[in-house]
Amino acid sequence: MGMSARFAAQPDVRSRGALYCAKAKAALKDDLEHVCIENIQACILVGNNCMGDCDADAESLYFVLANRMAQILNIAVSNDTDDGVTREIKRRIFWTCFIVDTWASGGSNLSRQFGWQAKQPRLPMDEFMFAVMKPGDADVPDAEWKPGLWGYMVKLVEIYSQIQQLHKQLAETIEWDEILIDESVRQLEAQLDAFEENIGPGLRFSLENLAGFVSRGLGSVFIAFHLGYHHYYTLLFYQYLDQRRPSTKNGKKYADSCKAHAATICNVLKASREVKGAEALYNIVGHVTIVSSSVLLHTYLFGEPHELEDSRHRLESNLESLVQLRSYWPSVELMINRLVVFQKNCISSLGRNTHRFDKWMVKFLIAHALALEEKMDDLFADSDVGQIPGNAHLERGRITESMIMDIQQNSDTLGGALC
């Protein structure tokens, strides 16, 4: 109830959301030493509520509790007495813990607790196949099993964990080996490309495919799948937006690909707002939107003239999603503040190399639960960026600043119009 109240249309119900959350926490704490599936699920729900209400420390604690309970129960192993529904529930809880741990640990810059394991359960099955199962049914045999959207998301998150690790290594390395970096990126790109090839055309993003999933009640899951998929591509290639980096064989291609996937995220978000049954209203969508918006903002500030109109319209579209999300999740305001800091660092000086992959940039891209301080280093001349006439750059900066200030100063009006 604490989670769902924030989405209620009735103001009196929404106003009781905090009370419901407090009661949920109290009930869970009273039963916390009871290690069971229900309490794992409760910890994940309470943790998500804490994240949305700007309490990242409590979020981490509840997620760690869920992970540890899952390990104590050895939830990856099915009991002989479990029916098919119970076995699949256990698998989905196991993989939920894996996904939550990957995102939350990176978001708070903490060590992971639930990494990839040599022995692990089968991936979540096709959602429709699971939906028609009844209590007492036998498990689906391996020969008849096929993965669903959640199963594919697990595979993507495993690749995402490798991208996280690459970013951290770059942030901690003083002198970069460009050849080694390019090879690491190429290998991760190959994994993502192979993944896309394996899923086939029916799961690629299009309004036609979205309509098919909406008709089966899976529109929001399809949207979530594509937000993650294109977010991981954007992160992988993000460093190549840095115009001061040494020229490499694939640098231009990767920078263009980063922009293309950030633009696709904009398309997915727009569809989620406009297509009934495809809503994407969970908290972490805010961070995905911020990263996509930072690419669009960078393109508008430092891009070529032919890129300006499209990047500006897409940035405006993304800001609509942030306003919508902020009406449900207070933490989105903090995410918007991160974009403000990013923008200030972009326009403060033509000589500012904003996109160098130092610890500040890793924190911006991955550590979404932490406050972002202004960047004080890397004040080096940048001949490429300097090619933009000063007045033109300042005008672009004023436009983007006005756009972002507008959603900061008019949250009640805009939020009400969109919700």
Side-chain angles (χ1 to χ4, degrees), residues 55-354:
D55 193 345
D57 291 344
E59 171 214 6
S60 295
L61 287 173
Y62 282 108
F63 286 162
V64 168
L65 287 169
N67 292 339
R68 188 62 73 201
M69 287 186 185
Q71 292 167 336
I72 291 172
L73 288 177
N74 198 15
I75 205 168
V77 178
S78 297
N79 298 324
D80 292 339
T81 57
D82 289 342
D83 63 6
V85 172
T86 302
R87 293 185 180 201
E88 182 64 14
I89 289 173
K90 287 183 175 181
R91 295 182 191 115
R92 287 171 178 264
I93 291 174
F94 176 93
W95 289 117
T96 296
C97 288
F98 171 76
I99 293 173
V100 163
D101 182 57
T102 304
W103 272 87
S105 59
S108 295
N109 195 27
L110 298 172
S111 299
R112 293 182 63 189
Q113 304 290 318
F114 209 84
W116 195 261
Q117 302 173 19
K119 186 177 181 181
Q120 53 207 19
R122 192 168 68 183
L123 295 176
M125 68 172 69
D126 176 79
E127 282 74 23
F128 184 75
M129 185 181 292
F130 180 45
V132 299
M133 291 182 70
K134 300 181 181 63
D137 285 355
D139 201 3
V140 174
D142 288 343
E144 300 176 18
W145 173 90
K146 60 179 181 179
L149 287 169
W150 277 104
Y152 287 121
M153 280 192 266
V154 170
K155 293 181 179 180
L156 280 175
V157 169
E158 196 278 326
I159 300 174
Y160 171 49
S161 69
Q162 298 176 58
I163 296 172
Q164 281 182 327
Q165 188 59 37
L166 173 63
H167 283 181
K168 291 177 181 178
Q169 289 173 355
L170 292 177
E172 295 168 0
T173 301
I174 297 176
E175 293 187 11
W176 289 2
D177 184 332
E178 295 293 340
I179 296 176
L180 181 61
I181 293 171
D182 262 20
E183 178 59 22
S184 298
V185 172
R186 188 196 64 77
Q187 291 177 4
L188 289 166
E189 178 192 22
Q191 290 186 49
L192 287 168
D193 288 348
F195 174 87
E196 182 175 16
E197 187 68 27
N198 288 334
I199 65 175
L203 284 180
R204 291 173 188 159
F205 183 74
S206 70
L207 293 180
E208 181 182 2
N209 284 342
L210 174 58
F213 279 96
V214 168
S215 69
R216 288 179 278 164
L218 296 171
S220 294
V221 183
F222 183 75
I223 290 289
F225 168 72
H226 278 284
L227 287 176
Y229 174 66
H230 293 285
H231 178 65
Y232 304 145
Y233 260 118
T234 302
L235 291 178
L236 178 61
F237 299 136
Y238 200 96
Q239 60 189 291
Y240 294 93
L241 296 176
D242 180 359
Q243 298 176 12
R244 292 184 67 253
R245 295 193 67 221
S247 177
T248 59
K249 178 181 178 181
N250 295 313
K252 177 66 165 57
K253 182 187 95 168
Y254 288 158
D256 289 344
S257 185
C258 179
K259 294 177 182 180
H261 286 284
T264 300
I265 289 172
C266 177
N267 295 341
V268 176
L269 289 168
K270 187 172 186 290
S272 76
R273 297 195 308 270
E274 296 178 352
V275 178
K276 185 176 177 57
E279 297 81 4
L281 300 176
Y282 51 98
N283 177 271
I284 202 62
V285 173
H287 175 63
V288 174
T289 308
I290 291 295
V291 172
S292 168
S293 299
S294 73
V295 177
L296 297 169
L297 191 152
H298 178 272
T299 302
Y300 185 76
L301 289 175
F302 303 112
E304 299 298 326
H306 71 271
E307 297 178 300
L308 299 186
E309 183 176 2
D310 182 69
S311 60
R312 177 177 176 176
H313 288 326
R314 290 185 181 278
L315 182 57
E316 289 172 340
S317 179
N318 275 9
L319 295 180
E320 287 186 39
S321 285
L322 290 173
V323 171
Q324 181 187 43
L325 289 164
R326 182 177 55 188
S327 69
Y328 301 113
W329 304 102
S331 60
V332 173
E333 186 65 43
L334 299 182
M335 297 179 189
I336 293 172
N337 291 341
R338 292 166 64 86
L339 184 62
V340 171
V341 173
F342 176 89
Q343 187 232 22
K344 286 180 179 178
N345 279 288
C346 280
I347 66 176
S348 62
S349 170
L350 289 174
R352 177 69 60 88
N353 176 20
T354 307

